[in-house]
Amino acid sequence: MNALRLIATGGALPGRTVTNEELSHMVDTSDEWITTRTGIRTRHWCTAEENAATLAIAAAKQALERSGLAPADIGCCICATLSAPDATPSVACRVQAALALPENRPALDVNAACSGFLYGTAVARGLLATMGGRYALVVGCEALSRLMDPADRSTCVLFGDGAGAAIFELTADPVPFAAVLGARGSAVLHAGGPSRTGSAPITMDGKAVFRFAVDALPQCLHAVLEETGRTLDEVDWVVCHQANSRIIDHCVRALKADPAKFYKNMERHGNTSAASIPVALNELAESGRLQPGQLLACIGFGGGLTWGGMIVEYK
Ligand code: ACO
């Protein structure tokens, strides 16, 4: 049946923490504006020595250690990012080298913006099922501070840097699992590559993205619930892309759902695009709130436009 099971997580956050107060000295904004519109209070930005690949390597090492697996057990390495430091070598190849993963396994980057971790997991599942292997390493990593115009108050307050890693097991056991992905080409959210920083920083039609997100999130959730024959009550944690707390609050109200099962951490990290879901999974696991046997629904939506949903069991 080619289901995945989440077996271990890791995470890494860069050294510099930027508060709303600090931003209010850089651009014409205020802690009050940012917190009421987005729920974000702090975010982390890379220092000069850090980038999406250094964070990815740290998160991946932690996940591998916690899994108890050896590098040779990893069947493929996928890194989801839109802010890789270089076009090549990919972040995934840098992770392969740093962790000494076997050379006869695929390693590649995936770019689906904020849905990247879900796209990356789907690619990993397909590779394991068709090329062999039992375990996949999937990383979401971003250095969005390198893509932003620090003088643009409409975007620089939103984004942060970070990485989260997950190890999945492909299993024939009848565990609940479902994945959906989708795309609708539109440039309402646009960013140039790191090499073009300055010429094409992140721009966004915030209201259009908000409307898209509150439409995509419940649709993805319904789709994966339907595919697994589960109800929202049977899901222990809903881990959505952490763009903005108002997007999640809006959906919780529309779904008449229990807000306590919708994990939120954008208050501390801002929007870390492809890293946001695995960073959240890692926090849930590290804190002991995510328990073996629990069911997760992960929902991503973002640039592209892209979206994705997954239901997966932990351990
Ligand atoms: N501080 C103070 N004022 C600001 C700031 C700021 N940081 N940014 C914008 N403003 C001003 C604008 O200039 C505008 O002023 P004006 O009325 O004098 O022209 C006013 O605030 C309203 O601006 P809007 O862009 O209309 O603000 P809005 O209420 O839409 O809030 C926000 C912006 C928070 C981005 C909102 O559109 C939103 O929540 N969008 C969801 C999309 C999102 O979070 N995207 C993140 C990345 S995409 C993703 O991850 C999927």
Side-chain angles (χ1 to χ4, degrees), residues 14 45 56 67 106 113 116 182 193 219 237 294 301:
W45 288 354
S67 71
Q219 283 199 42
W237 294 103
Q294 285 193 333
F301 46 86

Side-chain angles (χ1 to χ4, degrees), residues 23-24 26-30 33-34 37-38 43 45 148-159 202 204:
L23 284 174
S24 73
M26 292 165 55
V27 290
D28 182 14
T29 191
S30 64
W33 194 97
I34 303 169
R37 303 285 175 123
T38 70
R43 71 288 290 143
W45 288 354
M148 295 181 323
D149 175 358
D152 176 6
R153 69 175 182 175
S154 69
T155 53
C156 76
V157 302
L158 302 174
F159 298 103
I202 297 176
M204 177 180 69

Side-chain angles (χ1 to χ4, degrees), residues 27-294:
V27 290
D28 182 14
T29 191
S30 64
D31 177 50
E32 199 266 336
W33 194 97
I34 303 169
T35 46
T36 54
R37 303 285 175 123
T38 70
I40 298 166
R41 290 182 190 276
T42 60
R43 71 288 290 143
H44 313 277
W45 288 354
C46 285
T47 60
E49 296 73 36
E50 293 168 321
N51 59 48
T54 63
L55 299 175
I57 288 166
K61 274 187 179 158
Q62 193 175 58
L64 185 65
E65 269 166 34
R66 288 175 176 169
S67 71
L69 297 171
D73 296 321
I74 301 300
C76 63
C77 171
I78 312 293
C79 292
T81 184
L82 64 89
S83 51
D86 304 295
T88 194
S90 65
V91 175
C93 284
R94 290 184 191 274
V95 171
Q96 180 276 327
L99 272 66
L101 301 178
E103 291 184 7
N104 59 346
R105 318 283 158 85
L108 75 149
D109 287 0
V110 166
N111 177 356
C114 309
S115 316
F117 179 73
L118 296 168
Y119 269 71
T121 303
V123 169
R125 179 182 175 220
L127 286 172
L128 291 181
T130 55
M131 301 191 72
R134 184 167 169 190
Y135 300 100
L137 170 61
V138 183
V139 183
C141 53
E142 300 289 8
L144 299 174
S145 60
R146 301 265 154 80
L147 301 183
M148 295 181 323
D149 175 358
D152 176 6
R153 69 175 182 175
S154 69
T155 53
C156 76
V157 302
L158 302 174
F159 298 103
D161 304 339
I167 297 195
F168 292 98
E169 178 184 17
L170 187 74
T171 174
D173 296 347
V175 290
F177 181 82
V180 296
L181 300 174
R184 181 194 308 149
S186 161
V188 292
L189 180 58
H190 180 270
S195 59
R196 294 182 293 280
T197 302
S199 60
I202 297 176
T203 55
M204 177 180 69
D205 177 344
K207 286 188 168 53
V209 175
F210 191 95
R211 283 194 299 275
F212 157 68
V214 296
D215 182 46
L217 196 165
Q219 283 199 42
C220 279
L221 187 54
H222 283 312
V224 283
L225 287 171
E226 196 175 310
E227 204 174 315
T228 49
R230 303 287 168 133
T231 65
L232 190 50
D233 285 343
E234 294 171 276
V235 170
D236 297 287
W237 294 103
V238 183
V239 179
C240 300
H241 169 49
Q242 307 283 310
N244 182 317
S245 102
R246 288 191 309 147
I247 292 173
I248 296 179
D249 294 345
H250 186 284
C251 294
V252 166
R253 279 195 303 274
L255 293 161
K256 298 187 173 50
D258 174 9
K261 67 170 67 177
F262 283 68
Y263 187 72
K264 282 194 201 171
N265 66 8
M266 76 286 287
E267 180 178 354
R268 288 172 285 122
H269 307 314
N271 176 348
T272 59
S273 192
S276 83
I277 291 174
V279 165
L281 292 175
N282 184 51
E283 286 184 352
L284 275 171
E286 260 182 356
S287 65
R289 281 170 287 179
L290 180 58
Q291 289 291 311
Q294 285 193 333

